[in-house]
Amino acid sequence: NNKVIRPLLPFSREQIEQYALKNGIQWREDASNKTTKYLRNKFRHDVIPKLKEIQPELLFNFKQTINHLKESQSIILDAVQHFKNKVIIEKEDVLYFDCNAMMQFSNFQNYLYQILSSYGFSAWDDIYGLIEKQSGKQVVSENYVLLKDRNTLILFPKKPPRQDKFLIQSKSEIVKIPLNISFCNIDNINNTSSNCIFVDEDKLKFPLIIRKWTVGDLFFPFGMKGTKKVSKFFKDEKISILDKNNTWILCSDNQIVWIIGMRMDDRFKVTNETRTILKITLNT
């Protein structure tokens, strides 16, 4: 079982006793072996002897059956690995199951059982039904969540509750939690990427707030006219439910400045009237 080595397991009691007697080896008999109070001894003393009377080759056949089961297990493991290669993408501690690829396997439920049972799941009817459910449905075990998101099942570990709002008192503050964010003044805009934005510092009002997005949040997407709901932005960008739940927003005076790592708000962009450019960077 990967923890205990049992070198005498392949041999019967009779073989071990004969070898010990032949070689003058003394042994200590466990007194509990004589009582039938324990189920294992009930089998040893009452059940197995009667079965051996009927079938003398019982133990040999049983051993052969064990060997065949081990060989079958090896075949199962190979098949499960093939299923994983075709269906699952792993990123860090998250597994993504492609439902369309999974449905190509006629017995995909058995593969799911083989994989998910080690994560503590037991509500198998609910798990098998997830494939036909709408996005957002989930099944949980003690330590894991299996979430349906479009054509994907996402398996990820539960995380302990954490604070969902953080204050940044000034641009000189060192920000490490919940994200590593830095501020610096620059003269010209360069090296633009999704992990940094350039804003008109005079339009910001400290303290800034980093928080999770909420239903009803609106912002003015950079480069676009008018407002858009953050939830609609996520949908248009095909952001998964898991990624949405892990997304943070930077706010100034209750206005969204940046959906961090994705899109800044047009109201805070640098213009010809800007006097001070502030670069805000998400350090990964």
Side-chain angles (χ1 to χ4, degrees):
N1 61 7
N2 297 322
K3 295 180 181 179
V4 178
I5 297 174
R6 297 184 171 91
L8 300 182
L9 195 61
F11 307 100
S12 69
R13 179 187 179 92
E14 290 78 8
Q15 288 176 304
I16 295 172
E17 286 183 345
Q18 289 174 10
Y19 181 87
L21 291 170
K22 180 179 179 181
N23 291 276
I25 300 173
Q26 293 184 344
W27 70 88
R28 182 175 63 85
E29 187 76 21
D30 189 337
S32 68
N33 285 342
K34 296 180 179 180
T35 177
T36 57
K37 180 175 71 173
Y38 303 105
L39 182 62
R40 65 179 186 276
N41 288 340
K42 187 76 172 173
F43 273 94
R44 286 173 181 167
H45 297 305
D46 297 340
V47 178
I48 291 179
K50 295 187 183 317
L51 291 175
K52 290 177 71 174
E53 290 178 6
I54 301 172
Q55 175 53 266
E57 299 297 319
L58 171 71
L59 293 181
F60 174 79
N61 292 338
F62 187 71
K63 183 179 178 181
Q64 290 295 99
T65 299
I66 293 288
N67 290 333
H68 292 322
L69 289 174
K70 288 181 178 178
E71 293 172 357
S72 298
Q73 179 66 16
S74 177
I75 295 173
I76 291 172
L77 292 176
D78 288 342
V80 169
Q81 187 58 52
H82 174 70
F83 177 85
K84 289 181 177 179
N85 294 340
K86 293 291 186 181
V87 171
I88 300 176
I89 295 176
E90 183 173 0
K91 297 180 181 178
E92 297 180 353
D93 56 352
V94 180
L95 299 182
Y96 298 84
F97 295 72
D98 185 325
C99 291
N100 292 331
M102 190 160 33
M103 294 294 287
Q104 301 303 310
F105 290 79
S106 58
N107 52 348
F108 70 87
Q109 294 95 336
N110 293 328
Y111 289 105
L112 283 178
Y113 174 82
Q114 290 290 329
I115 295 169
L116 296 178
S117 57
S118 62
Y119 292 93
F121 288 95
S122 58
W124 299 112
D125 288 341
D126 293 337
I127 288 175
Y128 302 149
L130 270 184
I131 295 179
E132 304 297 332
K133 299 292 185 181
Q134 64 188 45
S135 292
K137 298 295 183 180
Q138 62 184 29
V139 178
V140 299
S141 68
E142 182 178 356
N143 297 310
Y144 289 88
V145 177
L146 185 65
L147 171 71
K148 174 67 180 299
D149 183 36
R150 300 185 179 89
N151 291 318
T152 305
L153 295 183
I154 306 175
L155 175 68
F156 57 94
K158 288 181 180 177
K159 295 182 179 179
R162 61 182 180 181
Q163 183 180 345
D164 59 3
K165 184 179 290 186
F166 300 84
L167 297 181
I168 304 173
Q169 299 294 343
S170 71
K171 65 181 181 182
S172 59
E173 183 175 341
I174 298 175
V175 181
K176 296 292 185 180
I177 299 175
L179 303 170
N180 187 338
I181 291 180
S182 60
F183 301 83
C184 67
N185 290 115
I186 61 172
D187 296 325
N188 297 293
I189 295 176
N190 53 28
N191 298 326
T192 59
S193 73
S194 60
N195 284 339
C196 73
I197 60 172
F198 302 88
V199 302
D200 186 329
E201 183 177 342
D202 294 331
K203 296 177 181 178
L204 296 179
K205 292 184 180 180
F206 285 88
L208 303 180
I209 294 176
I210 297 178
R211 64 169 175 83
K212 289 298 184 72
W213 75 282
T214 59
V215 176
D217 273 340
L218 291 169
F219 79 124
F220 291 74
F222 179 74
M224 296 177 59
K225 294 181 179 180
T227 63
K228 175 175 281 193
K229 285 187 176 182
V230 172
S231 57
K232 182 65 163 58
F233 169 77
F234 286 150
K235 183 177 181 179
D236 292 344
E237 295 295 316
K238 294 181 171 57
I239 306 299
S240 73
I241 295 174
L242 179 59
D243 289 335
K244 284 192 293 186
N245 292 337
N246 291 327
T247 297
W248 294 90
I249 290 177
L250 179 67
C251 296
S252 169
D253 195 27
N254 293 322
Q255 294 181 329
I256 292 177
V257 178
W258 186 20
I259 301 177
I260 299 176
M262 297 184 188
R263 183 77 67 88
M264 72 169 283
D265 191 292
D266 198 73
R267 291 170 291 184
F268 296 89
K269 68 182 178 182
V270 174
T271 67
N272 293 332
E273 287 75 36
T274 298
R275 295 179 299 174
T276 307
I277 301 175
L278 184 63
K279 180 180 180 181
I280 307 176
T281 304
L282 171 63
N283 302 297
T284 58

